[in-house]
Amino acid sequence: MLWVGTSWKMNGTRAFAADYAQKLHDADLAPIVEAGIQPFIIPSFTAIDVAAGILTDSSPVIVGAQNAHWEEKGAWTGEVSMVQAKDAGAKIIEMGHSERRQYFGETDETVNLKVKAALREGLIPLVCFGESAEVFEAGETVEFITSQIDAALDGVVDTSRVILAYEPIWAIGEHGRPPEREDLARTFSVLADRYVGRVQAILYGGSVNHDNIKDILGIEGVGGLFIGRSAWTPEGYLKNLELAAETLH
Ligand code: PGA
């Protein structure tokens, strides 16, 4: 199974979400599913229920949340718990994205607490990790990311539902550049050796677009994609799904 999904980051009103979800709902996703792809979308908190209300269990598209707190409830102003995210319709919980690590104090420890909390609620933790340009240039990528992953999974007895997403910081967003195929292949061969069989899938994210998607999916060990900008329109995302399905035929 290939997981191909998108986080909208801090974009989209509820009307946007309704339109996007409706277009996915109306699209013929049978060939995508038959090819072995699991689609997922991760809107902002305010739009989870809108998307999940349209993409019900009869749709193959799973809806997720971009974050959730590890405690069930309490005095945590501004936070949303796993229980609340699930109540809104989320089935996947993203955590550890570099933007949250950089701007919102996410750490390996809080990611670990969130992995455990998500699993307790029957949710799928989607753990993002990735190195900075400095770490990459120093040739220390593998040490850095395996330490992030091992910290995230520390003390988790059954990691089989966890999804990992390798997102090099230098490859993400407007100023990002896609990695060279050889670099990505080298990193994924280590990730595959260490984590395939232990986790549900290992995804790649960072400047994935319609031109490079097939190449990236051709790399051994890549178990799916976590896409930003090129999936921020329903048409863009559907095209990604279609191209991904073609690689599986
Ligand atoms: P991008 O975002 O595809 O726009 O580079 C990737 C991400 O941050 O997950």
Side-chain angles (χ1 to χ4, degrees):
M1 165 119 66
L2 212 52
W3 292 73
V4 180
T6 175
S7 161
W8 300 348
K9 305 194 180 184
M10 197 174 72
N11 294 295
T13 58
R14 291 163 62 83
F16 168 83
D19 176 67
Y20 192 117
Q22 193 61 48
K23 286 190 171 129
L24 294 191
H25 176 271
D26 296 344
D28 177 15
L29 295 179
I32 307 291
V33 175
E34 277 156 26
I37 291 177
Q38 173 59 67
F40 64 96
I41 61 167
I42 310 196
S44 295
F45 282 123
T46 49
I48 293 172
D49 72 321
V50 173
I54 295 168
L55 301 165
T56 54
D57 286 346
S58 63
S59 166
V61 184
I62 297 177
V63 178
Q66 294 173 22
N67 178 38
H69 198 273
W70 59 88
E71 292 287 344
E72 255 176 63
K73 59 183 162 67
W76 299 94
T77 300
E79 288 291 315
V80 169
S81 71
M82 298 285 167
V83 179
Q84 291 172 315
K86 182 164 131 182
D87 181 49
K91 295 201 166 92
I92 299 181
I93 309 293
E94 180 182 355
M95 53 192 77
H97 191 279
S98 63
E99 288 152 17
R100 294 215 53 88
R101 293 182 193 255
Q102 184 178 353
Y103 302 117
F104 303 103
E106 187 89 298
T107 64
D108 286 344
E109 289 69 36
T110 58
V111 171
N112 179 243
L113 289 168
K114 289 175 184 189
V115 169
K116 291 172 180 162
L119 291 172
R120 262 198 314 274
E121 291 306 323
L123 296 162
I124 299 171
L126 170 54
V127 178
C128 302
F129 57 91
E131 82 287 8
S132 64
E134 292 71 35
V135 171
F136 174 73
E137 301 300 342
E140 289 161 5
T141 296
V142 165
E143 294 76 5
F144 187 86
I145 63 175
T146 52
S147 121
Q148 282 185 316
I149 300 168
D150 293 342
L153 302 182
D154 188 41
V156 181
V157 181
D158 180 1
T159 56
S160 61
R161 280 173 65 79
V162 175
I163 298 178
L164 301 175
Y166 172 47
E167 301 217 328
I169 300 169
W170 46 270
I172 290 173
E174 238 176 280
H175 305 292
R177 60 177 167 86
E180 298 296 330
R181 193 190 158 91
E182 311 79 71
D183 291 328
L184 204 51
R186 201 170 331 107
T187 305
F188 262 89
S189 90
V190 177
L191 290 174
D193 275 354
R194 289 181 71 134
Y195 304 103
V196 162
R198 283 177 64 195
V199 297
Q200 179 145 218
I202 312 173
L203 318 188
Y204 169 74
S207 293
V208 173
N209 59 47
H210 298 157
D211 295 328
N212 63 20
I213 185 168
K214 286 189 170 181
D215 245 17
I216 295 173
L217 284 175
I219 294 171
E220 183 95 31
V222 174
L225 298 168
F226 195 25
I227 309 169
R229 289 158 296 156
S230 89
W232 283 351
T233 61
E235 295 76 19
Y237 180 47
L238 286 166
K239 182 77 186 164
N240 281 315
L241 291 174
E242 202 182 296
L243 292 166
E246 283 170 18
T247 68
L248 293 170
H249 284 305

